[in-house]
Amino acid sequence: MNKKITAAITGVGAYLPDYILDNDELSQMVDTTDEWIMTRIGIKTRHILKDPTKASSYMGSMAVNELLEKTGTNPKDIDLVICATVTPDMIFPSTGNMIAYQAGCSNAFAFDMSAACSGFLFALATGSKYIETGACKKVVVVGAEKMSSIVDYNDRATCPIFGDGAGAVLLEPNEEGLGVIDHLLHSDGSGEKHLHMKAGGSLNPASYETVANNWHTITQEGQAVFKAAVAHMADVSVSMMERHNLSADDIRYLVPHQANLRIIDATAKRMGLERDKCMINIEKYGNTTSATLPLCLWDYESRLKKGDNLILAAFGGGFTWGSVYLKWAYDGGNFLK
Ligand code: UT7
C-alpha cells in the first residue's frame, strides 16, 4: 500500500536588512517613548531596508539563497515558489516571480499570495497541497515584506509596529508522517474597514488626491484589530488542539504571528502554554507581516528536534486568520548558526 505523503519543512532561510531602527530614534520622529512601545507592544528594534533601489523580492531572494545553500539544494530543482506579501515590488509581475528569477529557480513556476499577516500560513497550506498530491517535489514558501514602504512615519499609532525582513522554507515529500498535518484557515472581509491601505489598487489608483490624503500608507484601528486578533488567534489554535487531541504537554512550541506581545500571551494562555513554549522575537524585528512565522522558525531552528509538535497561528488584515499543525522533520541543531 502506498504511504501517505506529507509536506515536510526541510530547511529555513532568512534575510534581515542591516539598518536597525530603535525606539530612541523613533521617539525623535514621533511623540512616543521606549516605555510605551515596550509595555503596549513589546518591540525594541526593527530592521529597515534603507536602499531605495531594493524591495521585497531582494530580501526574499536573499532568504531563498540562504535556504538553498543550507539545504544543499540546486535552485534548478525547485518546482514552485510561493511568495506571501502585502508589499510586492510592483502590482505585477508577482514578487514570487522576481524571487524565483533572482534565486536562479529557472524551472519553477511562481506566484504571490495576499493574506496580510496570515499570508505565510495560507501559502504554507497551499504549498503543502502541491507536495501531498505529488504535483511538486520541492516547493519554496517565502514571506517577504518591505513594510517600511507603506508605513507612515508621522503616525505614532502604527510606525512603531512594523519592520522589514524575509523568511523562507523548503517543503519536500515525507513518508514518516512528518510535516504539515492540518490547517484551519479563515477569512472575513467585514474586517477590511479596520485595517487596510486605501490606495494603489484599482479602487483608488495613485493620483494627486491619494498622495495628498496619505492613502498609500497603512490605516489601522488598533483596538478593533487587537480584540479580533486575540479572539481569533486563540480560538483557532485551541480548535486545532481539540481536532488532534493535543494537550499543552504535547506541544513543543506555539509559533505565533508577532504583532503584539499581549496578543501572543493571550493566545498562549488560552492554549495552556507557558511563555517558554512560545517562539518570540517581536522585540528584535517587530511585525514583519508575512515574514514573522519563518523568522521565528529560523531563530529557533537550532532548538527544534525531529518529531516536535508545532502550532503556527496568525491573524491579519482582511481579516484573515488560521493555524497550522506541523511535526518538525529534522534536528535543527544540524544547522546551528
Ligand atoms: O499584524 C496585523 C494585525 N495588527 C495587530 O494585531 C495590531 C493590534 N493592535 C495593537 O497591537 C494595539 O491596539 C496597538 C499597539 C496598535 C495600540 O495599543 P493600544 O493599547 O490599543 O493603544 P490605543 O490605540 O488604545 O491608544 C491608547 C493611547 C492613546 O492616547 P489617549 O487617547 O488615551 O490619550 C493613543 O493616542 O495611547 C496613545 N498612543 C501612543 N502613545 C505613545 C498610541 N500610539 C502611541 C505611541 N506612543 N506610539
PDB file of all heavy atoms in Angstrom, residues 64-95:
ATOM      1  N   VAL A  64      15.942  32.987   0.209  1.00  0.00           N
ATOM      2  CA  VAL A  64      15.920  31.731  -0.566  1.00  0.00           C
ATOM      3  C   VAL A  64      17.351  31.272  -0.848  1.00  0.00           C
ATOM      4  O   VAL A  64      17.660  30.077  -0.761  1.00  0.00           O
ATOM      5  CB  VAL A  64      15.108  31.903  -1.871  1.00  0.00           C
ATOM      6  CG1 VAL A  64      15.226  30.662  -2.753  1.00  0.00           C
ATOM      7  CG2 VAL A  64      13.646  32.189  -1.549  1.00  0.00           C
ATOM      8  N   ASN A  65      18.247  32.206  -1.161  1.00  0.00           N
ATOM      9  CA  ASN A  65      19.657  31.837  -1.377  1.00  0.00           C
ATOM     10  C   ASN A  65      20.222  31.102  -0.159  1.00  0.00           C
ATOM     11  O   ASN A  65      20.867  30.066  -0.283  1.00  0.00           O
ATOM     12  CB  ASN A  65      20.521  33.086  -1.614  1.00  0.00           C
ATOM     13  CG  ASN A  65      20.291  33.701  -2.988  1.00  0.00           C
ATOM     14  OD1 ASN A  65      19.700  33.053  -3.852  1.00  0.00           O
ATOM     15  ND2 ASN A  65      20.726  34.927  -3.182  1.00  0.00           N
ATOM     16  N   GLU A  66      19.954  31.673   1.027  1.00  0.00           N
ATOM     17  CA  GLU A  66      20.471  31.034   2.243  1.00  0.00           C
ATOM     18  C   GLU A  66      19.857  29.650   2.437  1.00  0.00           C
ATOM     19  O   GLU A  66      20.535  28.675   2.776  1.00  0.00           O
ATOM     20  CB  GLU A  66      20.186  31.901   3.479  1.00  0.00           C
ATOM     21  CG  GLU A  66      20.903  31.345   4.704  1.00  0.00           C
ATOM     22  CD  GLU A  66      20.398  31.877   6.022  1.00  0.00           C
ATOM     23  OE1 GLU A  66      19.240  31.597   6.388  1.00  0.00           O
ATOM     24  OE2 GLU A  66      21.172  32.565   6.701  1.00  0.00           O
ATOM     25  N   LEU A  67      18.551  29.574   2.188  1.00  0.00           N
ATOM     26  CA  LEU A  67      17.834  28.300   2.342  1.00  0.00           C
ATOM     27  C   LEU A  67      18.414  27.223   1.422  1.00  0.00           C
ATOM     28  O   LEU A  67      18.665  26.088   1.845  1.00  0.00           O
ATOM     29  CB  LEU A  67      16.350  28.537   2.006  1.00  0.00           C
ATOM     30  CG  LEU A  67      15.461  27.308   1.872  1.00  0.00           C
ATOM     31  CD1 LEU A  67      15.246  26.657   3.230  1.00  0.00           C
ATOM     32  CD2 LEU A  67      14.105  27.686   1.260  1.00  0.00           C
ATOM     33  N   LEU A  68      18.639  27.574   0.163  1.00  0.00           N
ATOM     34  CA  LEU A  68      19.122  26.588  -0.810  1.00  0.00           C
ATOM     35  C   LEU A  68      20.552  26.165  -0.489  1.00  0.00           C
ATOM     36  O   LEU A  68      20.920  24.991  -0.600  1.00  0.00           O
ATOM     37  CB  LEU A  68      19.020  27.155  -2.233  1.00  0.00           C
ATOM     38  CG  LEU A  68      17.590  27.501  -2.697  1.00  0.00           C
ATOM     39  CD1 LEU A  68      17.602  28.064  -4.108  1.00  0.00           C
ATOM     40  CD2 LEU A  68      16.669  26.294  -2.618  1.00  0.00           C
ATOM     41  N   GLU A  69      21.349  27.149  -0.032  1.00  0.00           N
ATOM     42  CA  GLU A  69      22.731  26.832   0.328  1.00  0.00           C
ATOM     43  C   GLU A  69      22.782  25.890   1.530  1.00  0.00           C
ATOM     44  O   GLU A  69      23.483  24.879   1.528  1.00  0.00           O
ATOM     45  CB  GLU A  69      23.464  28.136   0.645  1.00  0.00           C
ATOM     46  CG  GLU A  69      24.965  28.022   0.536  1.00  0.00           C
ATOM     47  CD  GLU A  69      25.629  29.358   0.797  1.00  0.00           C
ATOM     48  OE1 GLU A  69      25.209  30.370   0.183  1.00  0.00           O
ATOM     49  OE2 GLU A  69      26.522  29.381   1.639  1.00  0.00           O
ATOM     50  N   LYS A  70      21.988  26.237   2.560  1.00  0.00           N
ATOM     51  CA  LYS A  70      21.974  25.424   3.787  1.00  0.00           C
ATOM     52  C   LYS A  70      21.539  23.988   3.530  1.00  0.00           C
ATOM     53  O   LYS A  70      22.036  23.053   4.146  1.00  0.00           O
ATOM     54  CB  LYS A  70      20.974  26.039   4.779  1.00  0.00           C
ATOM     55  CG  LYS A  70      21.586  26.901   5.848  1.00  0.00           C
ATOM     56  CD  LYS A  70      20.521  27.653   6.599  1.00  0.00           C
ATOM     57  CE  LYS A  70      19.836  26.842   7.662  1.00  0.00           C
ATOM     58  NZ  LYS A  70      18.907  27.653   8.475  1.00  0.00           N
ATOM     59  N   THR A  71      20.561  23.845   2.644  1.00  0.00           N
ATOM     60  CA  THR A  71      19.997  22.509   2.413  1.00  0.00           C
ATOM     61  C   THR A  71      20.689  21.805   1.250  1.00  0.00           C
ATOM     62  O   THR A  71      20.320  20.686   0.895  1.00  0.00           O
ATOM     63  CB  THR A  71      18.482  22.604   2.116  1.00  0.00           C
ATOM     64  OG1 THR A  71      18.288  23.514   1.017  1.00  0.00           O
ATOM     65  CG2 THR A  71      17.707  23.109   3.317  1.00  0.00           C
ATOM     66  N   GLY A  72      21.675  22.467   0.639  1.00  0.00           N
ATOM     67  CA  GLY A  72      22.392  21.849  -0.478  1.00  0.00           C
ATOM     68  C   GLY A  72      21.492  21.584  -1.672  1.00  0.00           C
ATOM     69  O   GLY A  72      21.629  20.568  -2.359  1.00  0.00           O
ATOM     70  N   THR A  73      20.557  22.507  -1.898  1.00  0.00           N
ATOM     71  CA  THR A  73      19.573  22.308  -2.983  1.00  0.00           C
ATOM     72  C   THR A  73      19.972  23.114  -4.215  1.00  0.00           C
ATOM     73  O   THR A  73      20.303  24.303  -4.110  1.00  0.00           O
ATOM     74  CB  THR A  73      18.166  22.768  -2.505  1.00  0.00           C
ATOM     75  OG1 THR A  73      17.865  22.089  -1.290  1.00  0.00           O
ATOM     76  CG2 THR A  73      17.101  22.471  -3.540  1.00  0.00           C
ATOM     77  N   ASN A  74      19.906  22.475  -5.372  1.00  0.00           N
ATOM     78  CA  ASN A  74      20.156  23.167  -6.632  1.00  0.00           C
ATOM     79  C   ASN A  74      18.919  24.009  -6.973  1.00  0.00           C
ATOM     80  O   ASN A  74      17.805  23.471  -7.040  1.00  0.00           O
ATOM     81  CB  ASN A  74      20.394  22.107  -7.727  1.00  0.00           C
ATOM     82  CG  ASN A  74      20.743  22.723  -9.061  1.00  0.00           C
ATOM     83  OD1 ASN A  74      20.437  23.888  -9.324  1.00  0.00           O
ATOM     84  ND2 ASN A  74      21.364  21.938  -9.924  1.00  0.00           N
ATOM     85  N   PRO A  75      19.085  25.326  -7.181  1.00  0.00           N
ATOM     86  CA  PRO A  75      17.908  26.162  -7.469  1.00  0.00           C
ATOM     87  C   PRO A  75      17.083  25.648  -8.656  1.00  0.00           C
ATOM     88  O   PRO A  75      15.862  25.813  -8.685  1.00  0.00           O
ATOM     89  CB  PRO A  75      18.496  27.544  -7.780  1.00  0.00           C
ATOM     90  CG  PRO A  75      19.971  27.462  -7.597  1.00  0.00           C
ATOM     91  CD  PRO A  75      20.337  26.088  -7.126  1.00  0.00           C
ATOM     92  N   LYS A  76      17.743  24.969  -9.574  1.00  0.00           N
ATOM     93  CA  LYS A  76      17.024  24.475 -10.767  1.00  0.00           C
ATOM     94  C   LYS A  76      16.079  23.318 -10.424  1.00  0.00           C
ATOM     95  O   LYS A  76      15.227  22.948 -11.230  1.00  0.00           O
ATOM     96  CB  LYS A  76      18.032  24.044 -11.832  1.00  0.00           C
ATOM     97  CG  LYS A  76      18.821  25.223 -12.405  1.00  0.00           C
ATOM     98  CD  LYS A  76      19.561  24.831 -13.655  1.00  0.00           C
ATOM     99  CE  LYS A  76      20.100  26.005 -14.453  1.00  0.00           C
ATOM    100  NZ  LYS A  76      20.566  27.155 -13.710  1.00  0.00           N
ATOM    101  N   ASP A  77      16.247  22.730  -9.224  1.00  0.00           N
ATOM    102  CA  ASP A  77      15.372  21.618  -8.826  1.00  0.00           C
ATOM    103  C   ASP A  77      14.076  22.086  -8.155  1.00  0.00           C
ATOM    104  O   ASP A  77      13.220  21.261  -7.822  1.00  0.00           O
ATOM    105  CB  ASP A  77      16.114  20.674  -7.859  1.00  0.00           C
ATOM    106  CG  ASP A  77      17.216  19.897  -8.565  1.00  0.00           C
ATOM    107  OD1 ASP A  77      17.155  19.804  -9.811  1.00  0.00           O
ATOM    108  OD2 ASP A  77      18.136  19.418  -7.881  1.00  0.00           O
ATOM    109  N   ILE A  78      13.975  23.393  -7.937  1.00  0.00           N
ATOM    110  CA  ILE A  78      12.746  23.906  -7.294  1.00  0.00           C
ATOM    111  C   ILE A  78      11.612  23.932  -8.323  1.00  0.00           C
ATOM    112  O   ILE A  78      11.763  24.462  -9.431  1.00  0.00           O
ATOM    113  CB  ILE A  78      12.975  25.326  -6.715  1.00  0.00           C
ATOM    114  CG1 ILE A  78      14.109  25.317  -5.683  1.00  0.00           C
ATOM    115  CG2 ILE A  78      11.676  25.890  -6.110  1.00  0.00           C
ATOM    116  CD1 ILE A  78      13.876  24.456  -4.469  1.00  0.00           C
ATOM    117  N   ASP A  79      10.449  23.352  -7.931  1.00  0.00           N
ATOM    118  CA  ASP A  79       9.301  23.278  -8.851  1.00  0.00           C
ATOM    119  C   ASP A  79       8.384  24.492  -8.734  1.00  0.00           C
ATOM    120  O   ASP A  79       7.703  24.861  -9.696  1.00  0.00           O
ATOM    121  CB  ASP A  79       8.446  22.042  -8.529  1.00  0.00           C
ATOM    122  CG  ASP A  79       9.253  20.765  -8.599  1.00  0.00           C
ATOM    123  OD1 ASP A  79       9.907  20.550  -9.635  1.00  0.00           O
ATOM    124  OD2 ASP A  79       9.246  19.991  -7.620  1.00  0.00           O
ATOM    125  N   LEU A  80       8.318  25.057  -7.528  1.00  0.00           N
ATOM    126  CA  LEU A  80       7.315  26.104  -7.273  1.00  0.00           C
ATOM    127  C   LEU A  80       7.839  27.061  -6.205  1.00  0.00           C
ATOM    128  O   LEU A  80       8.420  26.617  -5.204  1.00  0.00           O
ATOM    129  CB  LEU A  80       6.009  25.449  -6.785  1.00  0.00           C
ATOM    130  CG  LEU A  80       4.943  26.323  -6.134  1.00  0.00           C
ATOM    131  CD1 LEU A  80       4.410  27.384  -7.101  1.00  0.00           C
ATOM    132  CD2 LEU A  80       3.773  25.466  -5.632  1.00  0.00           C
ATOM    133  N   VAL A  81       7.632  28.357  -6.426  1.00  0.00           N
ATOM    134  CA  VAL A  81       7.934  29.383  -5.412  1.00  0.00           C
ATOM    135  C   VAL A  81       6.641  30.149  -5.134  1.00  0.00           C
ATOM    136  O   VAL A  81       6.047  30.714  -6.052  1.00  0.00           O
ATOM    137  CB  VAL A  81       9.020  30.370  -5.897  1.00  0.00           C
ATOM    138  CG1 VAL A  81       9.222  31.496  -4.884  1.00  0.00           C
ATOM    139  CG2 VAL A  81      10.346  29.645  -6.151  1.00  0.00           C
ATOM    140  N   ILE A  82       6.215  30.131  -3.870  1.00  0.00           N
ATOM    141  CA  ILE A  82       5.037  30.920  -3.481  1.00  0.00           C
ATOM    142  C   ILE A  82       5.517  32.026  -2.548  1.00  0.00           C
ATOM    143  O   ILE A  82       6.201  31.747  -1.557  1.00  0.00           O
ATOM    144  CB  ILE A  82       3.977  30.081  -2.741  1.00  0.00           C
ATOM    145  CG1 ILE A  82       3.626  28.814  -3.526  1.00  0.00           C
ATOM    146  CG2 ILE A  82       2.721  30.915  -2.495  1.00  0.00           C
ATOM    147  CD1 ILE A  82       2.635  27.901  -2.812  1.00  0.00           C
ATOM    148  N   CYS A  83       5.175  33.251  -2.865  1.00  0.00           N
ATOM    149  CA  CYS A  83       5.579  34.374  -2.008  1.00  0.00           C
ATOM    150  C   CYS A  83       4.354  35.006  -1.369  1.00  0.00           C
ATOM    151  O   CYS A  83       3.431  35.440  -2.066  1.00  0.00           O
ATOM    152  CB  CYS A  83       6.330  35.427  -2.825  1.00  0.00           C
ATOM    153  SG  CYS A  83       6.742  36.878  -1.832  1.00  0.00           S
ATOM    154  N   ALA A  84       4.346  35.052  -0.048  1.00  0.00           N
ATOM    155  CA  ALA A  84       3.316  35.775   0.690  1.00  0.00           C
ATOM    156  C   ALA A  84       3.835  37.180   0.941  1.00  0.00           C
ATOM    157  O   ALA A  84       4.932  37.343   1.469  1.00  0.00           O
ATOM    158  CB  ALA A  84       3.022  35.071   2.007  1.00  0.00           C
ATOM    159  N   THR A  85       3.052  38.169   0.533  1.00  0.00           N
ATOM    160  CA  THR A  85       3.484  39.557   0.748  1.00  0.00           C
ATOM    161  C   THR A  85       2.319  40.527   0.609  1.00  0.00           C
ATOM    162  O   THR A  85       1.373  40.257  -0.138  1.00  0.00           O
ATOM    163  CB  THR A  85       4.612  39.945  -0.246  1.00  0.00           C
ATOM    164  OG1 THR A  85       5.133  41.226   0.109  1.00  0.00           O
ATOM    165  CG2 THR A  85       4.141  39.963  -1.690  1.00  0.00           C
ATOM    166  N   VAL A  86       2.380  41.630   1.361  1.00  0.00           N
ATOM    167  CA  VAL A  86       1.472  42.765   1.106  1.00  0.00           C
ATOM    168  C   VAL A  86       2.266  43.950   0.585  1.00  0.00           C
ATOM    169  O   VAL A  86       1.715  45.032   0.383  1.00  0.00           O
ATOM    170  CB  VAL A  86       0.670  43.202   2.355  1.00  0.00           C
ATOM    171  CG1 VAL A  86      -0.325  42.144   2.767  1.00  0.00           C
ATOM    172  CG2 VAL A  86       1.569  43.587   3.515  1.00  0.00           C
ATOM    173  N   THR A  87       3.573  43.744   0.413  1.00  0.00           N
ATOM    174  CA  THR A  87       4.413  44.817  -0.117  1.00  0.00           C
ATOM    175  C   THR A  87       5.165  44.308  -1.350  1.00  0.00           C
ATOM    176  O   THR A  87       6.405  44.244  -1.348  1.00  0.00           O
ATOM    177  CB  THR A  87       5.402  45.311   0.963  1.00  0.00           C
ATOM    178  OG1 THR A  87       6.059  44.170   1.546  1.00  0.00           O
ATOM    179  CG2 THR A  87       4.707  46.104   2.047  1.00  0.00           C
ATOM    180  N   PRO A  88       4.408  43.897  -2.386  1.00  0.00           N
ATOM    181  CA  PRO A  88       5.069  43.414  -3.600  1.00  0.00           C
ATOM    182  C   PRO A  88       5.918  44.523  -4.203  1.00  0.00           C
ATOM    183  O   PRO A  88       5.627  45.706  -4.015  1.00  0.00           O
ATOM    184  CB  PRO A  88       3.889  43.054  -4.524  1.00  0.00           C
ATOM    185  CG  PRO A  88       2.730  43.860  -4.018  1.00  0.00           C
ATOM    186  CD  PRO A  88       2.942  44.005  -2.542  1.00  0.00           C
ATOM    187  N   ASP A  89       6.964  44.142  -4.940  1.00  0.00           N
ATOM    188  CA  ASP A  89       7.792  45.150  -5.613  1.00  0.00           C
ATOM    189  C   ASP A  89       6.906  46.046  -6.477  1.00  0.00           C
ATOM    190  O   ASP A  89       7.080  47.264  -6.521  1.00  0.00           O
ATOM    191  CB  ASP A  89       8.813  44.479  -6.540  1.00  0.00           C
ATOM    192  CG  ASP A  89       9.912  43.748  -5.788  1.00  0.00           C
ATOM    193  OD1 ASP A  89       9.700  43.397  -4.617  1.00  0.00           O
ATOM    194  OD2 ASP A  89      10.985  43.535  -6.382  1.00  0.00           O
ATOM    195  N   MET A  90       5.995  45.390  -7.195  1.00  0.00           N
ATOM    196  CA  MET A  90       5.061  46.089  -8.092  1.00  0.00           C
ATOM    197  C   MET A  90       3.734  45.340  -8.045  1.00  0.00           C
ATOM    198  O   MET A  90       3.696  44.202  -7.563  1.00  0.00           O
ATOM    199  CB  MET A  90       5.558  46.033  -9.543  1.00  0.00           C
ATOM    200  CG  MET A  90       6.926  46.608  -9.755  1.00  0.00           C
ATOM    201  SD  MET A  90       7.424  46.277 -11.464  1.00  0.00           S
ATOM    202  CE  MET A  90       9.173  46.136 -11.244  1.00  0.00           C
ATOM    203  N   ILE A  91       2.682  45.972  -8.570  1.00  0.00           N
ATOM    204  CA  ILE A  91       1.388  45.273  -8.627  1.00  0.00           C
ATOM    205  C   ILE A  91       1.556  44.002  -9.471  1.00  0.00           C
ATOM    206  O   ILE A  91       1.043  42.946  -9.146  1.00  0.00           O
ATOM    207  CB  ILE A  91       0.306  46.178  -9.246  1.00  0.00           C
ATOM    208  CG1 ILE A  91       0.083  47.402  -8.357  1.00  0.00           C
ATOM    209  CG2 ILE A  91      -0.975  45.399  -9.494  1.00  0.00           C
ATOM    210  CD1 ILE A  91      -1.002  47.269  -7.317  1.00  0.00           C
ATOM    211  N   PHE A  92       2.205  44.090 -10.586  1.00  0.00           N
ATOM    212  CA  PHE A  92       2.632  42.930 -11.353  1.00  0.00           C
ATOM    213  C   PHE A  92       3.920  43.273 -12.063  1.00  0.00           C
ATOM    214  O   PHE A  92       4.203  44.452 -12.274  1.00  0.00           O
ATOM    215  CB  PHE A  92       1.533  42.478 -12.360  1.00  0.00           C
ATOM    216  CG  PHE A  92       1.432  43.344 -13.586  1.00  0.00           C
ATOM    217  CD1 PHE A  92       2.160  43.043 -14.751  1.00  0.00           C
ATOM    218  CD2 PHE A  92       0.616  44.479 -13.582  1.00  0.00           C
ATOM    219  CE1 PHE A  92       2.059  43.854 -15.876  1.00  0.00           C
ATOM    220  CE2 PHE A  92       0.517  45.279 -14.706  1.00  0.00           C
ATOM    221  CZ  PHE A  92       1.242  44.979 -15.863  1.00  0.00           C
ATOM    222  N   PRO A  93       4.774  42.300 -12.397  1.00  0.00           N
ATOM    223  CA  PRO A  93       4.601  40.862 -12.140  1.00  0.00           C
ATOM    224  C   PRO A  93       4.717  40.528 -10.659  1.00  0.00           C
ATOM    225  O   PRO A  93       5.098  41.375  -9.850  1.00  0.00           O
ATOM    226  CB  PRO A  93       5.748  40.241 -12.940  1.00  0.00           C
ATOM    227  CG  PRO A  93       6.788  41.297 -13.030  1.00  0.00           C
ATOM    228  CD  PRO A  93       6.051  42.594 -13.079  1.00  0.00           C
ATOM    229  N   SER A  94       4.425  39.289 -10.342  1.00  0.00           N
ATOM    230  CA  SER A  94       4.408  38.898  -8.937  1.00  0.00           C
ATOM    231  C   SER A  94       5.823  38.943  -8.349  1.00  0.00           C
ATOM    232  O   SER A  94       6.823  38.764  -9.058  1.00  0.00           O
ATOM    233  CB  SER A  94       3.825  37.494  -8.787  1.00  0.00           C
ATOM    234  OG  SER A  94       4.770  36.511  -9.143  1.00  0.00           O
ATOM    235  N   THR A  95       5.883  39.186  -7.063  1.00  0.00           N
ATOM    236  CA  THR A  95       7.176  39.209  -6.368  1.00  0.00           C
ATOM    237  C   THR A  95       7.778  37.799  -6.332  1.00  0.00           C
ATOM    238  O   THR A  95       9.003  37.635  -6.421  1.00  0.00           O
ATOM    239  CB  THR A  95       6.984  39.793  -4.952  1.00  0.00           C
ATOM    240  OG1 THR A  95       6.483  41.126  -5.115  1.00  0.00           O
ATOM    241  CG2 THR A  95       8.270  39.861  -4.162  1.00  0.00           C
TER     242      THR A  95
END
